[in-house]
Amino acid sequence: QVQLVESGGGSVPVGGSLTLSCVASRQPPYGSCMGWWRQAPGKEREGIAEITYDGHRNYAGSVEGRFSIFKDDAKNAVFLKMDSLEPDDAGTYYCASGDERCLRPRAIRSWGEGTQVTVSS
């Protein structure tokens, strides 16, 4: 199983930017997707961004236009650049790896332990 380690969380003001990183312990199987999920206190975990093995990107409506996912296959890494952060973006952000489409919970095969993002007004 691929192990995922996130980094880059922190506290930023409303409107600020942050980039999260996730490194996999090894190259995921061919055809794997990578993605980012988040969970706010008292809410369910939600998928917000995915990138397929061939580079297609998809986003949840709540972050589209503000967040950008990209990857570096040579480093087994995926990143989430977050701009124009809002208070509702606060929560724990999880890196995920899975089968083809990482915005689908049943597709997820590996989770990171999460990194905290706080947005202060």
Side-chain angles (χ1 to χ4, degrees):
Q1 188 175 7
V2 176
Q3 293 182 335
L4 305 171
V5 178
E6 305 97 334
S7 62
S11 180
V12 293
V14 170
S17 298
L18 204 60
T19 298
L20 306 181
S21 303
C22 171
V23 178
S25 58
R26 60 176 176 83
Q27 186 177 19
Y30 179 80
S32 294
C33 58
M34 299 291 290
W36 287 94
W37 288 62
R38 70 183 180 190
Q39 187 168 21
K43 295 186 178 180
E44 293 187 356
R45 193 177 298 190
E46 61 170 342
I48 55 171
E50 67 174 4
I51 184 166
T52 63
Y53 75 97
D54 57 353
H56 291 284
R57 300 172 177 85
N58 295 292
Y59 300 94
S62 58
V63 305
E64 190 156 20
R66 300 187 298 120
F67 291 11
S68 180
I69 186 171
F70 54 102
K71 62 177 180 170
D72 185 336
D73 289 332
K75 298 180 179 179
N76 296 331
V78 64
F79 308 89
L80 185 69
K81 186 177 187 303
M82 306 185 292
D83 295 320
S84 302
L85 282 161
E86 304 168 353
D88 285 348
D89 294 320
T92 303
Y93 282 68
Y94 298 91
C95 180
S97 176
D99 300 330
E100 297 185 4
R101 298 297 301 273
C102 280
L103 288 182
R104 299 174 181 172
R106 292 185 178 181
I108 304 303
R109 296 290 173 256
S110 298
W111 293 99
E113 293 191 353
T115 186
Q116 190 70 31
V117 173
T118 303
V119 183
S120 57
S121 56

